[in-house]
Amino acid sequence: MPVTVAWDNDDHTTICINLIHPWGWVDYDTGIAQVYGLMNSVEHTVNVISNIPQGTSFPMGNVLLHFRHTTESLPENIGQIVVSGGNLAANIVIAIFGRAYSALGSRLAFANNLEEARTLLTNLAPPNNSEDN
């Protein structure tokens, strides 16, 4: 399966979406729907790791359309979003998109791999609008 979604810890505070090549935009949209379903099943803040293996690039199609839909429907309990892996071009597009959409801005971070993403989330302070504070 090119896109998998699962809780990344037993506390259900982090979800990991794995985008394994080859994946398409239908796979991505289905995966995001699964992420949001898990997020909506709890009331606390949930972080998301988007794990893109090194060297993986975006499939053909309108990346901005899919990312815009993703950000416009973010659940209220979204925490930090860490993109792990990916190639330079994909990470640049994500970073530019993050700056353009204020809902992502300060929530977006990058890591070289999944373990680094987990460490980064452990070290980050919760978002300011978290109801858990």
Side-chain angles (χ1 to χ4, degrees), residues 36-85:
Y36 291 175
L38 289 176
M39 291 180 72
N40 289 326
S41 73
V42 297
E43 294 185 18
H44 57 266
T45 300
V46 178
N47 300 309
V48 176
I49 298 173
S50 181
N51 187 39
I52 308 168
Q54 290 290 339
T56 300
S57 58
F58 293 132
M60 296 298 291
N62 188 342
V63 61
L64 297 180
L65 174 71
H66 293 277
F67 283 0
R68 185 182 58 169
H69 174 71
T70 298
T71 58
E72 288 175 347
S73 55
L74 283 172
E76 290 184 20
N77 61 337
I78 185 72
Q80 298 297 133
I81 302 166
V82 180
V83 178
S84 75

Side-chain angles (χ1 to χ4, degrees), residues 9 25 32 67 86 90 103 118 126 132:
N9 58 24
W25 290 115
I32 291 299
F67 283 0
R118 290 176 176 137
D132 298 339

Side-chain angles (χ1 to χ4, degrees), residues 97-129:
F97 193 82
R99 287 188 192 114
Y101 281 82
S102 60
L104 290 181
S106 64
R107 298 178 187 279
L108 189 59
F110 293 88
N112 290 319
N113 54 55
L114 187 55
E115 204 52 48
E116 186 179 303
R118 290 176 176 137
T119 301
L120 183 63
L121 285 174
T122 300
N123 295 331
L124 286 174
N128 293 336
N129 66 347

Side-chain angles (χ1 to χ4, degrees), residues 1-9 12-20 23-41 46-52 70 75 78 114 118:
M1 190 163 209
V3 175
T4 61
V5 174
W7 289 110
D8 199 55
N9 58 24
H12 291 185
T13 58
T14 302
I15 297 169
C16 185
I17 177 170
N18 293 289
L19 302 164
I20 309 299
W23 59 274
W25 290 115
V26 171
D27 302 315
Y28 172 84
D29 293 339
T30 301
I32 291 299
Q34 292 171 348
V35 167
Y36 291 175
L38 289 176
M39 291 180 72
N40 289 326
S41 73
V46 178
N47 300 309
V48 176
I49 298 173
S50 181
N51 187 39
I52 308 168
T70 298
I78 185 72
L114 187 55
R118 290 176 176 137

